[in-house]
Amino acid sequence: MGEYTQAQRLQALPPYLFAELDRMKQEQVKKGVDIISLGIGDPDLPTPPHVIQALARAAADPANHQYPSYEGMLAFRRAAADWYRARFGVTLDPATEVLSLIGSKEGIGHFPLAFVDPGDVVLVPDPAYPVYQAGTIFAGGVPYAMPLTRTNGFLPDLNAISGDVLKRARILWLNYPNNPTGAVGPREFLARAVEFARRHRLILAHDAPYSEMAYDGYRPESVMSVPGAKEVAVEFHSLSKTYNMTGWRVGFAVGNPAILTGLGRIKTNMDSGVFQAVQYAGIAALTGPQDCVAESCRVYQERRDVLVKGLREMGFDVEPPKATFYIWVPVPKGFSSTSFTVEILTKAGVVLTPGSGFGAAGEGFVRAAVTVSVDRIREAVERIRKLGIRGQ
Ligand SMILES: Cc1ncc(COP(=O)(O)O)c(C=O)c1O
């Protein structure tokens, strides 16, 4: 960076493990290799037409061209509250218990700035979506990794956290259904987490963007449906995955009003809210027909089944996830997460994500996202099969 030394908060971030893999992927593309990418958690399905039409209508109205309100239009927050009641049976006051976000990543990244002072601890799952850790570091906080292991059903062992750490801890991050493991958070676990947060005076921050991406009749839980959750918890939601709207940047947080007020104060000073036309599109998504959600799940479920079956036939010990579009695959003996990813990229032209990129406890796994057509998944399986690698 020459004389422009980056701030310590940037230097404190863990190295970006995917940079070298991105470079290797580009090399394959340049060589003309037909790459199949199972690497990115971004739906390939389009946003439903009625949502696009709502955007087009609202974008044409000059009333929507000015600065939106910071917390989001009341109509958007009401739509989110109504959706919550219909989906989870949870009652929320749209005025104080719902806050709009410019995509949930924005809220998650900013959240620690509201509640974490330098030296405070934030409890973060490992492996995890990297923003919990990055937001903590930007606020001067210290991330404490809670390992998610297969033997624990990828649920953190809260009792393993020492009293000394808990004394300094402010936030407990959880994420179910989980990226990258595909694990789900049973109600008893969420209830235990609420009780744990209350006992140790923590903010429970539950990140739930995959709550609607579930299979085989499974319906993920909201932490807000646990009695007493509103006293200690907030939950982050996103329209990104549910309605194939990752590019639109719209989500929301719900729960404890005082906690949301803290996040809102940060946002007031950092951003200017969600474009109102996008909020109208969000209202159309949340209040309109929901068959598009069921249809996306049907598509992902078919892809999941093809990939899981193919991997099992090669000897990989994989379970079909009940939710999310991620398959968490143990790497064969003799490989690390990274060396296996490199092998599959360079010899089969298939992009996977090394588990170690999500945290040290992700070592030994790779993540495959079923975000390409079922035919391409079949082809990916075929290419890997031809390498003769056995899962065990
Ligand atoms: C666990 C998790 N949380 C949050 C997000 C952010 O979603 P968005 O900012 O699009 O709402 C993602 C996106 O991949 C995610 O995997």
Side-chain angles (χ1 to χ4, degrees):
M1 275 295 133
E3 62 194 282
Y4 300 108
T5 310
Q6 291 185 348
Q8 279 178 11
R9 70 179 65 83
L10 283 182
Q11 295 178 31
L13 289 178
Y16 183 61
L17 257 192
F18 304 137
E20 177 62 10
L21 281 164
D22 287 346
R23 197 192 55 72
M24 292 175 84
K25 182 179 149 190
Q26 286 318 317
E27 225 169 66
Q28 297 296 311
V29 171
K30 262 195 223 135
K31 276 198 229 158
V33 175
D34 169 30
I35 293 281
I36 301 175
S37 180
L38 308 179
I40 301 170
D42 193 349
D44 57 315
L45 307 172
T47 307
H50 68 279
V51 178
I52 298 170
Q53 283 151 17
L55 172 80
R57 269 194 308 277
D61 182 352
N64 294 325
H65 296 173
Q66 293 180 294
Y67 285 119
S69 69
Y70 294 103
E71 68 276 15
M73 298 185 311
L74 189 58
F76 175 79
R77 289 179 287 147
R78 197 172 284 137
D82 289 348
W83 179 83
Y84 238 82
R85 187 178 315 106
R87 171 66 177 87
F88 299 116
V90 170
T91 303
L92 298 166
D93 176 356
T96 59
E97 294 176 342
V98 183
L99 179 66
S100 76
L101 300 172
I102 311 171
S104 63
K105 181 179 191 179
E106 176 266 303
I108 293 164
H110 281 147
F111 191 60
L113 290 176
F115 296 102
V116 172
D117 282 319
D120 286 349
V121 168
V122 175
L123 307 172
V124 177
D126 173 9
Y129 181 57
V131 182
Y132 315 133
Q133 186 184 20
T136 299
I137 291 170
F138 288 169
V142 182
Y144 175 88
M146 302 180 292
L148 307 185
T149 63
R150 208 171 189 186
T151 38
N152 281 343
F154 301 108
L155 303 171
D157 180 1
L158 300 175
N159 295 327
I161 306 167
S162 76
D164 193 41
V165 168
L166 286 170
K167 247 186 259 154
R168 295 187 292 137
R170 298 298 315 276
I171 300 171
L172 166 62
W173 276 109
L174 294 176
N175 161 226
Y176 294 99
N178 185 258
N179 174 14
T181 66
V184 297
R187 188 181 174 77
E188 313 80 75
F189 174 75
L190 297 177
R192 247 188 294 140
V194 167
E195 181 46 36
F196 186 84
R198 192 201 329 271
R199 194 165 359 117
H200 298 287
R201 296 173 190 279
L202 303 169
I203 292 172
L204 172 54
H206 186 229
D207 182 23
Y210 299 98
S211 67
E212 305 315 295
M213 200 186 275
Y215 316 113
D216 309 321
Y218 176 72
R219 298 289 274 163
E221 300 271 353
S222 163
V223 80
M224 286 302 151
S225 66
V226 173
K230 240 188 235 179
E231 288 158 37
V232 294
V234 287
E235 189 159 69
F236 290 82
H237 272 276
S238 175
L239 279 74
S240 289
K241 317 284 162 135
T242 307
Y243 302 104
N244 306 323
M245 293 175 72
T246 48
W248 298 56
R249 312 314 302 136
V250 59
F252 56 93
V254 306
N256 181 282
I259 300 174
L260 292 182
T261 299
L263 176 58
R265 281 191 72 194
I266 296 294
K267 286 175 57 57
T268 307
N269 287 283
M270 301 280 257
D271 70 57
S272 299
V274 178
F275 178 29
Q276 283 197 176
V278 169
Q279 293 189 55
Y280 278 112
I283 294 170
L286 291 165
T287 63
Q290 299 297 302
D291 46 341
C292 52
V293 181
E295 175 55 18
S296 297
C297 290
R298 192 197 59 72
V299 170
Y300 295 132
Q301 183 169 329
E302 184 189 8
R303 295 172 178 178
R304 174 202 72 166
D305 290 345
V306 168
L307 183 56
V308 167
K309 181 166 176 284
L311 289 168
R312 282 186 162 184
E313 283 168 4
M314 288 180 251
F316 286 90
D317 179 16
V318 278
E319 290 298 322
K322 285 202 188 101
T324 79
F325 49 20
Y326 302 118
I327 321 279
W328 191 234
V329 187
V331 302
K333 282 203 184 67
F335 286 102
S336 68
S337 297
T338 309
S339 70
F340 186 64
T341 306
V342 170
E343 178 84 0
I344 299 295
L345 171 64
T346 53
K347 302 218 171 122
V350 175
V351 178
L352 301 167
T353 311
S356 52
F358 299 99
E363 181 50 70
F365 291 85
V366 290
R367 189 192 75 175
V370 290
T371 47
V372 297
S373 73
V374 76
D375 288 344
R376 294 290 275 170
I377 289 181
R378 276 201 190 96
E379 178 167 348
V381 167
E382 207 34 52
R383 289 190 198 174
I384 297 169
R385 195 196 313 275
K386 280 199 187 125
L387 298 182
I389 292 172
R390 294 294 301 167
Q392 300 295 308

